Amino acid sequence: MDEKETWGKPVERRGRLTAVLALATLISAFGSSFQYGYNVAVINSPAPFMQQFYNTTYVERNGQPMEENFLTLLWSLSVSMYPLGGFFGSLMVAPLVNKLGRKGTLLFNNVFSIVPAVMMGVSEIAKSYEIVIVARFIVGICAGLSSNVVPMYLGELAPKNLRGALGIIPQLFITIGILCAQVLGIRHILGNSTGWTLMLGLTGIPAVLELLLLPFFPESPRYMLIQRGDEETAQRALQRLRGWEDVEEELSEMRLEDQSEKAEGRLSVLNLLSQPSLRWQLVSIVVMNMGQQLSGVNAIYYYADSIYASAGVKQNDIQYVTVGTGAVNVFMTIAAVFIVEASGRRLLLLIGFGICCTACVLLTAALSLQNSVFWMPYISIICVIIYVVGHAIGPSPIPYVVTTEMFRQSARPAAFMVAGSVHWLSNFTVGLVFPFMERGLGPYSFIIFSVICLLTLVYIWLVVPETKNKTFLEICQMFASRNNVEIKLGDGDLPLKEKRPRATAL
């Protein structure tokens, strides 16, 4: 029976967006998630000038121009070191968040932003393209950590009725970061031979602001109570975040979760892989993160200029069309923030992957026919925009939200480590393989992406439940029957809605 229908009990209090919660969300998302998006797009526009710098530096060292194949290799490294660093950053998530906490890890992570920002800013003065490549790897580590830790931190700060909306904020700031890089990359701003080093170095500014401001905001109450056993600090943090003194209901839910996990202890990745009670949750986050990245979104971002050029856009106009696409991405992600609690996570995922699948099929047809039909290039551009819309409302933001919600406290760091590793390896694969796909398959490359979108959609339809407005324990119980296990909730008296048949420790 729901608490609202239980006689003698007060109506359940819904959490609200307090100033402390809102500011903690904005500071952590701007200081960390923004950089992820910024560094995805920051080298697209100034690419010709950076390659010219690589060649000029090589000539000064060796007295002869760089071979074209070697220049291509260096540029590929400059692009691919970022997602490779993201993969290694993901591997650091579990040990760091368990040792330093969620907020502590975000503060420590700023080292991996400020140092490479300085390195990239002085690369031209130092006459070293190696510095740029190494710095891209280091800032990738920053992105790998932030893309996993920020959603975890905000998911644990938020009340359950706001968890979806706040969980999308990191993705919103990723899209804002992409848009800012695209705007700054316009030729007469910083995307030129004199401004590209400053453009690359600006990534350190959000990190400095986060380092200065985030210490004034609370650590995750769940981390403090369940993993540190510090109930007093957890209570104070909750009181600040909720804006009222009576937080006993949430503390009781955390204690209940703590009791249910004592038999399991903190889970490593190997423990996570062997847990029957988490089998389908783990498969689900792997499928969703692979679907998110292998659906072609980074093919759009990494190679947007070449896609628009093949669609017939004039060279001077491509940068403005790219900025317009980024603005659409931001707008649709904002829309997702406002509708996710009403529509639910599952519906947005299904609609998003459905739109992406359809857009990829139409884009294939449009690119195939553009030389024979004069207006077809415009259809290609519309297909790209439709794809961006679909990805922005579901596949881009929701997997982070659902990863937070599907796992309890002891398993969440390891789960984000797995999800992040899959995310970044898939990102790296698309960036590496798509140019060869484009060369070999031409416009039919996007058929592969459409098939991946369709398969991911079918999996979500069959397996992934709706998680909105549920506690972490309730979501765990939703998966219990599919995993063919029962969840032990502890030995004390439980609230009526949490009672289930007792079972041995998993």
Side-chain angles (χ1 to χ4, degrees):
M1 185 181 293
D2 188 28
E3 280 187 12
K4 293 181 180 180
E5 300 171 355
T6 303
W7 294 352
K9 290 187 178 181
V11 174
E12 182 181 6
R13 177 183 281 174
R14 291 175 62 83
R16 57 191 173 88
L17 187 62
T18 61
V20 172
L21 180 57
L23 289 172
T25 300
L26 293 176
I27 290 168
S28 59
F30 176 66
S32 296
S33 302
F34 176 90
Q35 296 182 69
Y36 173 5
Y38 185 83
N39 286 293
V40 163
V42 72
I43 64 172
N44 286 353
S45 207
F49 306 105
M50 293 177 68
Q51 292 177 37
Q52 182 181 348
F53 161 68
Y54 287 12
N55 192 48
T56 302
T57 302
Y58 187 87
V59 170
E60 290 178 1
R61 292 179 185 176
N62 301 285
Q64 59 183 12
M66 188 182 294
E67 292 183 7
E68 186 176 348
N69 287 340
F70 186 54
L71 178 59
T72 302
L73 174 63
L74 286 179
W75 185 248
S76 297
L77 286 173
S78 301
V79 173
S80 60
M81 281 297 103
Y82 180 67
L84 188 62
F87 169 70
F88 281 96
S90 296
L91 297 180
M92 299 164 62
V93 169
L96 284 178
V97 297
N98 287 328
K99 180 71 175 176
L100 302 178
R102 283 59 167 151
K103 185 181 81 170
T105 300
L106 290 177
L107 293 173
F108 173 75
N109 192 32
N110 290 312
V111 173
F112 298 112
S113 175
I114 296 171
V115 170
V118 173
M119 291 171 65
M120 290 187 288
V122 303
S123 58
E124 193 172 30
I125 297 173
K127 297 183 178 180
S128 172
Y129 47 76
E130 295 88 350
I131 286 180
V132 176
I133 294 171
V134 173
R136 288 282 293 172
F137 177 78
I138 297 172
V139 82
I141 294 175
C142 171
L145 276 166
S146 65
S147 64
N148 291 286
V149 180
V150 177
M152 189 189 310
Y153 177 56
L154 298 184
E156 294 179 8
L157 292 188
K160 65 182 181 181
N161 60 295
L162 295 177
R163 203 165 53 221
L166 295 188
I168 293 178
I169 295 297
Q171 182 62 34
L172 173 60
F173 273 84
I174 289 172
T175 62
I176 293 172
I178 292 171
L179 179 60
C180 285
Q182 291 168 339
V183 171
L184 291 176
I186 292 173
R187 292 286 181 264
H188 63 266
I189 302 181
L190 291 178
N192 50 54
S193 58
T194 58
W196 67 267
T197 51
L198 175 60
M199 186 175 168
L200 265 61
L202 288 176
T203 187
I205 293 178
V208 171
L209 290 175
E210 182 179 62
L211 201 58
L212 293 174
L213 298 176
L214 194 59
F216 295 101
F217 294 88
E219 177 58 91
S220 159
R222 287 182 173 273
Y223 171 77
M224 295 308 300
L225 190 149
I226 298 175
Q227 291 181 246
R228 286 298 181 92
D230 189 347
E231 186 169 324
E232 185 179 341
T233 301
Q235 181 178 357
R236 288 200 304 269
L238 271 178
Q239 289 169 340
R240 288 186 65 196
L241 290 165
R242 301 295 176 260
W244 51 60
E245 293 297 313
D246 182 12
V247 293
E248 184 57 34
E249 183 181 343
E250 276 194 83
L251 288 173
S252 297
E253 189 261 320
M254 291 182 198
R255 294 187 200 106
L256 185 64
E257 184 177 345
D258 188 24
Q259 290 172 13
S260 73
E261 295 187 328
K262 284 199 185 315
E264 297 174 3
R266 187 181 301 161
L267 296 182
S268 66
V269 171
L270 290 178
N271 296 141
L272 181 69
L273 296 175
S274 63
Q275 282 286 321
S277 64
L278 300 173
R279 184 183 299 117
W280 281 102
Q281 293 97 309
L282 190 62
V283 173
S284 296
I285 65 166
V286 169
V287 170
M288 284 187 289
N289 278 276
M290 287 184 68
Q292 180 196 62
Q293 294 299 308
L294 298 181
S295 60
V297 63
N298 285 313
I300 298 289
Y301 286 130
Y302 286 143
Y303 303 101
D305 289 5
S306 64
I307 290 172
Y308 288 136
S310 66
V313 180
K314 294 179 181 179
Q315 193 63 39
N316 289 337
D317 296 336
I318 285 177
Q319 56 185 337
Y320 301 106
V321 177
T322 302
V323 169
T325 305
V328 170
N329 194 9
V330 171
F331 177 79
M332 293 311 301
T333 308
I334 292 173
V337 172
F338 288 99
I339 66 176
V340 65
E341 294 300 348
S343 63
R345 289 70 157 135
R346 186 170 180 269
L347 181 61
L348 289 184
L349 283 170
L350 292 172
I351 291 174
F353 277 111
I355 291 174
C356 290
C357 179
T358 305
C360 284
V361 173
L362 295 176
L363 181 60
T364 300
L367 291 174
S368 300
L369 297 172
Q370 68 178 5
N371 292 327
S372 55
V373 182
F374 77 92
W375 45 264
M376 198 56 71
Y378 301 104
I379 301 300
S380 299
I381 296 171
I382 292 171
C383 288
V384 170
I385 293 172
I386 290 173
Y387 178 94
V388 168
V389 167
H391 217 276
I393 64 171
S396 280
I398 303 299
Y400 298 108
V401 178
V402 175
T403 301
T404 300
E405 294 179 328
M406 282 185 176
F407 295 88
R408 291 180 290 168
Q409 195 75 17
S410 63
R412 195 171 295 125
F416 266 98
M417 192 166 154
V418 171
S421 299
V422 171
H423 172 102
W424 286 101
L425 279 178
S426 300
N427 185 324
F428 177 76
T429 301
V430 171
L432 199 63
V433 171
F434 181 72
F436 300 99
M437 287 173 53
E438 190 179 32
R439 191 178 306 163
L441 299 175
Y444 297 100
S445 304
F446 290 93
I447 289 293
I448 296 175
F449 297 135
S450 70
V451 171
I452 292 171
C453 289
L454 179 60
L455 292 175
T456 309
L457 184 153
V458 171
Y459 178 88
I460 292 167
W461 176 267
L462 295 175
V463 176
V464 178
E466 180 53 65
T467 58
K468 73 168 184 176
N469 224 18
K470 305 287 186 185
T471 67
F472 296 120
L473 268 177
E474 288 170 336
I475 295 167
C476 190
Q477 290 159 8
M478 290 165 64
F479 276 98
S481 60
R482 185 174 292 278
N483 289 321
N484 198 28
V485 297
E486 294 182 62
I487 305 300
K488 182 175 180 179
L489 296 180
D491 299 323
D493 293 331
L494 305 178
L496 184 57
K497 69 175 183 178
E498 299 290 355
K499 288 186 178 179
R500 294 292 186 276
R502 297 301 175 89
T504 55
L506 298 177

